[in-house]
Amino acid sequence: MSGAVDLSAFKERATAPPPPRNTSGDGAVSAVSGAVIEVTEENFESEVLLKSSQVPVIVNIGGRAYEPSVVFTEVLESLAARAGGKWILANVDVDVSPRIAQAFGVQSVPTVVAVAAGQPLADFQGAQPEAQLSQWFDAVLQAVEGKLSGPVPDGDEPVEEAEDPRFVAAETALDEGDLDAAIAAYQVILDAEPNNAEAKSAVRQVKFMARVQGVDPESIAAADADPSNLELQFAAADLEMFAQQPEASFARLISVVSRTAGDDKAAARTRLLELFELFDPAEPIVIAARRKLASALY
């Protein structure tokens, strides 16, 4: 299975905020006590892919609607409680998160997959006797010995880095809807640290949010009716991007670039490049749009 499974689809875009850490009784607990995590498509990256760089994450794909799976999950949770943080159990309800099951090529439940360093390592289907499970876990741990960073240090809570007060100020302004203050706060960080990637990305995002707030909601229809109006095309592209339609936004501006010349062509190219910067440069949609832009320019 490990050679054919692609888990990259569950990696979130760089522009999206990471899911909040769950420290309550119904979520992840410290690895030292034998963590049991409820995993969905939304937190798969943080709770499985990232944590598997510390210890193996045992992904248990089953469901509450399947009695054999429920019983087997209880066995796994009992073993996890005795594991001492050597591995983490990640329970996945196939009815809630079918894409995870699809990514692993699951054909029946329960299916169990050991993930280490972000990659599937070993798997089996169907409930197994506890003695056989213990042997399987021992084999997994032996296979990753010395290759992972190890469990979270002992303590009531994982050790967290202190929050940067400069970012706290910026995020507070953002939460209050004061975009100008948020931009100014992020800019203070950039002035002190010109290469701070987090602040640089935040400034771009918030400036875009501020710009799109002043756009007429009817701009897309108006731009479609008047393709020669450059400002309408820019406004429509912003609205499409804000509506999470980046392909449409990129296509609109590439079309403007291809049919204009001189200052208008340069302005459309500049606006398109600004929108590219809202994404990770490695995003497939950005790479494809850059190729189309190159064709439109030459």
Side-chain angles (χ1 to χ4, degrees), residues 164-223:
D164 188 327
R166 301 172 303 171
F167 280 99
V168 171
E171 290 162 6
T172 299
L174 194 57
D175 290 341
E176 294 173 352
D178 192 341
L179 300 185
D180 290 338
I183 292 170
Y186 284 122
Q187 191 61 51
V188 167
I189 301 172
L190 274 182
D191 290 342
E193 304 173 28
N195 294 322
N196 190 305
E198 184 178 353
K200 190 178 296 184
S201 175
V203 165
R204 291 168 180 161
Q205 296 285 331
V206 181
K207 282 185 176 180
F208 171 76
M209 291 169 59
R211 186 174 75 203
V212 81
Q213 279 192 341
V215 174
D216 185 343
E218 302 300 321
S219 293
I220 293 177

Side-chain angles (χ1 to χ4, degrees), residues 37-66:
I37 305 168
E38 298 301 321
V39 171
T40 64
E41 292 164 9
E42 287 71 25
N43 68 358
F44 184 89
E45 180 183 5
S46 62
E47 299 293 0
V48 175
L49 299 185
L50 295 181
K51 287 187 176 179
S52 70
S53 66
Q54 298 174 337
V55 295
V57 177
I58 307 303
V59 182
N60 170 38
I61 304 170
R64 297 181 182 90
Y66 309 94

Side-chain angles (χ1 to χ4, degrees), residues 74-94:
E74 293 175 356
V75 174
L76 291 175
E77 290 180 349
S78 176
L79 290 171
R82 304 199 301 262
K86 294 179 181 178
W87 52 269
I88 295 172
L89 178 65
N91 290 326
V92 177
D93 190 322
V94 69

Side-chain angles (χ1 to χ4, degrees), residues 92-160:
V92 177
D93 190 322
V94 69
D95 293 323
V96 175
S97 303
R99 288 180 60 232
I100 296 178
Q102 291 169 8
F104 283 114
V106 171
Q107 297 179 347
S108 64
V109 296
T111 289
V112 175
V113 185
V115 178
Q119 296 295 325
L121 177 66
D123 63 275
F124 63 83
Q125 294 183 359
Q128 305 292 329
E130 187 169 328
Q132 190 169 333
L133 285 173
S134 296
Q135 293 177 0
W136 189 80
F137 287 130
D138 288 343
V140 168
L141 293 173
Q142 192 171 28
V144 301
E145 187 173 2
K147 298 177 182 178
L148 304 178
S149 63
V152 176
D154 197 1
D156 292 335
E157 295 290 343
V159 177
E160 297 184 3

